[in-house]
Amino acid sequence: MRPLKMTMSTFMSYGGVQEIDFTKLGYNGLYLITGETGAGKTTIFDAIMFALYGKASGDLRTDGSLFRSKYADIYAETYVELYFECNGRKYRVKRNPEYTRVKKSGEGTTTQNSDAELESLDGGPLIRNVTEVTNAIEKIIGLTKAQFSQIAMIAQGQFRELLTVDTNKRRDIFRHIFETGNFDKLQTRIKDDNSALNTEINGLCGYIRQDIEGIQSSGDENEFSPDIAMDPDFIDEKVINPLNSLVSNDLETEKSMDEVQKKLAEKKSEITKNIEKAKSLENTIAEKNKKDTLYAAGKKALEEATNELTEAKMSEGKIEELKKNAAVESEKIKEYDALDIMLSEKDDTAKKQAEKSEQQTRLKTKCDEGEKRIKLLKEELEGLKDVDLQLQTARTKLAELDKDLKDTQEVEQRFAILVHKRENLEKLLRDVDAKNKKKDELTAKADKLSEDFLLMQAGLMAADLVEGQKCPVCGSEHHPYKAEIPSDKKKVTREEVDNARKVATDAANACTDAVSKLGAAKSDKESYEEETVTQAKKYVKGDTAAVLEKELKAHKTTLQRNVDSTNENIHTLEGKLERKNKLQLEIPQLETQKEENANSFNQCVIDLSALNERLQQISAQITSAREKLQFATKTEAVNHVEKIESEAKELQLKIDVASEKKNKLNSDCDKLLGEIGQLKQVIDSSEKMDLEKLQQELGTVNSEIDSANKDSKIIRSRLDSNQKLLERLRKRKGELATLLKKKEWMSGLFDTVTGKKTDDNGRIMLETYVQQAYFMLIVKKANIRFEKMTEGHFSLSVVKEIAKDRQSGLDLEVIDHYNDSRRTVKSLSGGEQFEASLSLALGLSDMVQEMSAGVKLDCMFVDEGFGSLDDDTLNRALIALRDLGNGNRLVGIISHVNEIQKEIDKKIYVRKDARGFSKAEILV
């Protein structure tokens, strides 16, 4: 992967749009990203990482809400767009964070959601969505964000993390890099399986103890102890075999008891049958006596029923006369039906008359109200005839006011920017004064040192002058006034004079640069102010920028009030226009309704007259019909007929009841006489038995059966329980043997993979063992650079001795080849630790890249870490980094160290402008 071009828009410290063309830096070697502290150097790495993976480069720069620049214009977009090349193909990725922005339409703000897009410039579909773009980037480059950070982008402050940590911390780091988490999961799974196996064995032993406690012995005390050792052979000998004998004995006992119970059951059955025969005979005698009594009572009741029937038949003639009268009166009831029809029609006609009268009143009211309503609405419509023109005029005025307000706001924003330019100008002016003062002080100091140096040189030369010999300076042979070295002066060297002169020159250059910046800022401010004043005078009057700014604010307030007032007027006129349109539809509808109501009223008058006439006719017909009838109503006539019919039915019912009663009594007597004869025959033919003696014999047999059943239940209960326990114990003994065998090899495996198996070689986990192999390869690659940077003085080594009191295997030590000793890496000096840390980081980068098949990185980024190094250490570090840049790899370094700036020609210079915006410039 190689970055080609990147554009940052209001991203972090870059308040505007910044484009960086990496192709200008070439395709290999080192380039430097330099500038003052806080200028925005690391932000370039952050932007590359954000474009690729949606996150910043360092662990401390993770707050996504900070990606949008605090200097961003309220309307500006925030995004990073990166063009890069990977495996011969070119891509473009663009990504924006979530941030708050001004709404594109309307007022207020809204949230811009995070988004991303990726496309291949060599052809292919456009990929959108944050997650899908990140997944595609990982597939194209072949690395996750964490892997990319370890291989290609070594972030600020992370050089020494891998050097000084212990085995546990280093194991966590390698787990993430080399994906050895599956070995850790395997260790955890084996641990859980071992624990589960122990739990299963303990649980099974508990079940076996419960089974032993549940054995029912044949004696008073239980001969089976649950404290027997949980050994399969002991369980066989002390429990299963004795229990099997107990079950066999109980089976034999149960068989003999079954024979006894069978004989007692046969004897009970015979006694029970005899008792039933004796009870049956007693019941038969009692039943015959009862039927004899019933027969005598039946004969007496039969005589009384015969007399009642004779008396009832004497009313048969009266019944015939009543039936004839009822038939005559029934024929007259039909005339009452005609009367009811006329009465019903009269009621319906009267009801319709009342309803029609009420309808006439309602229609009259509607006609009057409709006429009034139409008149009022027409008057209202006349008052709204010009509302269309008024609304159009108001909308035109609002558009003009909105344009003026927007133009005024743009000019007002220029005044706000002008304030920042003035403040920056004052800051630059103070900077010029400070630098000028410092330049004068350093120049005076250099002049004083130069003067002291010359006086001292003159004194030294004069000390060697000999009278008569020529002076090497003036050629005189006489030296009456020889120069002397001032006694109160400190000895000054040529190097001190040159250094002072160089510092003074640098200060003068810095002062010149500051004056240049001041002039540029002043020119920019004056030009911007002149343009702002010109634009402001289009809207307000004034001689100065301050007056114009004040007048512009007042003008803006007036415009805003006019906009608000016009909006209210438009809202009112829109309501009136809506009312006008509604009236134009409603009035014709009301006129149509009025005409319909008038027609209905006229029809109602005609219908009401016809109903009055019909009501008079029906009343006359009802009066004539009532004069011809005996009863006032049909109900009275019907009741009279029903009374006659009821009397006839009551007389007939008495005859029928008496006849039925006589017949039934006669039949009952005949039936009883036959049943009494049959019962007498049964009594005469039955055997006589002593019921009391038979019942005593049955009680004795039942006692014997209860005793036998009780003994049988005891044996059966013990037998059922012990047979189940015997079966379970045999099964669980086999399960225990299997689990104990499994425990032998599971415990050994657990101790091995978790590092708990202690022997002469100490302790080491399975995951640590795998990581140790990777670590040795990393150290081997790191030593190629570390030995070169330390000129063969030091090399790194993985500690081979495994600690017996803690987890180890990934500990690191340093070998001092000057005295052939080994010691902790923490004993290295600050510069030596930097060299070791950088070597280890680069070795890790090489190792991870080799492991990631198909990954090709043509770039690398290193952030800071050089400020505390001496010249020799710094040179050796640069040599190592230059080796990285050989071939086809471009290595970017962030630093503000002067020595590095001198050594590296290709640079990206980052600075802050007057507004605080970061600006990046490529220098080659």
Side-chain angles (χ1 to χ4, degrees), residues 530-738:
E530 181 180 355
E531 185 179 351
T532 301
V533 167
T534 301
Q535 292 189 22
K537 285 182 178 180
K538 295 178 182 178
Y539 307 101
V540 293
K541 295 180 180 180
D543 298 329
T544 65
V547 172
L548 288 168
E549 184 178 5
K550 181 178 179 181
E551 292 297 324
L552 193 68
K553 288 183 178 178
H555 179 62
K556 174 189 170 185
T557 302
T558 302
L559 283 173
Q560 187 62 59
R561 282 200 298 267
N562 290 339
V563 167
D564 295 340
S565 175
T566 305
N567 270 323
E568 291 180 6
N569 186 33
I570 289 173
H571 181 70
T572 302
L573 290 171
E574 286 174 343
K576 289 182 177 181
L577 180 61
E578 183 180 356
R579 178 60 178 165
K580 176 183 176 182
N581 294 333
K582 185 176 180 181
L583 288 174
Q584 289 175 338
L585 294 174
E586 186 177 0
I587 290 173
Q589 292 175 354
L590 289 174
E591 289 177 337
T592 300
Q593 186 65 43
K594 174 188 170 185
E595 184 178 352
E596 291 175 355
N597 288 337
N599 293 335
S600 298
F601 176 79
N602 294 331
Q603 183 63 43
C604 203
V605 171
I606 296 171
D607 294 343
L608 187 59
S609 177
L611 288 172
N612 290 333
E613 183 179 352
R614 177 58 182 160
L615 190 61
Q616 292 175 0
Q617 293 174 355
I618 295 173
S619 297
Q621 292 174 358
I622 290 172
T623 302
S624 175
R626 278 179 172 168
E627 291 175 353
K628 298 177 182 180
L629 297 175
Q630 178 183 356
F631 299 99
T633 63
K634 177 183 177 180
T635 303
E636 292 178 5
V638 170
N639 290 340
H640 177 68
V641 173
E642 289 177 350
K643 184 177 180 181
I644 296 173
E645 291 176 342
S646 177
E647 185 179 357
K649 287 179 180 179
E650 287 178 2
L651 294 173
Q652 183 63 47
L653 180 63
K654 287 182 180 179
I655 295 172
D656 294 341
V657 170
S659 177
E660 183 178 354
K661 183 177 180 181
K662 176 189 173 185
N663 293 334
K664 184 176 185 306
L665 288 172
N666 192 38
S667 174
D668 290 343
C669 289
D670 292 342
K671 182 180 178 182
L672 285 171
L673 188 62
E675 291 174 351
I676 290 171
Q678 292 175 355
L679 290 173
K680 186 175 183 303
Q681 290 178 1
V682 171
I683 293 171
D684 293 342
S685 62
S686 298
E687 180 184 358
K688 305 298 185 287
M689 295 183 182
D690 189 343
L691 180 60
E692 183 177 354
K693 182 178 178 181
L694 288 172
Q695 288 177 336
Q696 289 177 352
E697 291 177 359
L698 181 62
T700 301
V701 171
N702 283 334
S703 297
E704 292 175 356
I705 290 173
D706 289 342
S707 178
N709 288 340
K710 184 177 180 181
D711 293 341
S712 178
K713 285 180 180 179
I714 293 172
I715 295 296
R716 173 40 56 190
S717 174
R718 183 169 69 221
L719 193 56
D720 289 344
S721 175
N722 288 347
Q723 282 177 325
K724 292 177 182 177
L725 289 173
L726 179 61
E727 183 180 353
R728 273 209 306 269
L729 282 168
R730 284 171 175 163
K731 180 181 178 182
R732 285 174 174 168
K733 182 204 75 170
E735 293 175 353
L736 179 61
T738 301

Side-chain angles (χ1 to χ4, degrees), residues 209-221:
R209 291 189 183 94
Q210 290 178 5
D211 288 345
I212 294 174
E213 290 175 349
I215 296 175
Q216 297 183 22
S217 178
S218 59
D220 294 335
E221 295 183 0

Side-chain angles (χ1 to χ4, degrees), residues 90 372 467 518 662 688 740 749 767 792:
K90 294 181 179 180
K372 292 178 182 179
E467 188 65 27
L518 177 63
K662 176 189 173 185
K688 305 298 185 287
L740 290 174
L749 178 61
E767 183 185 18

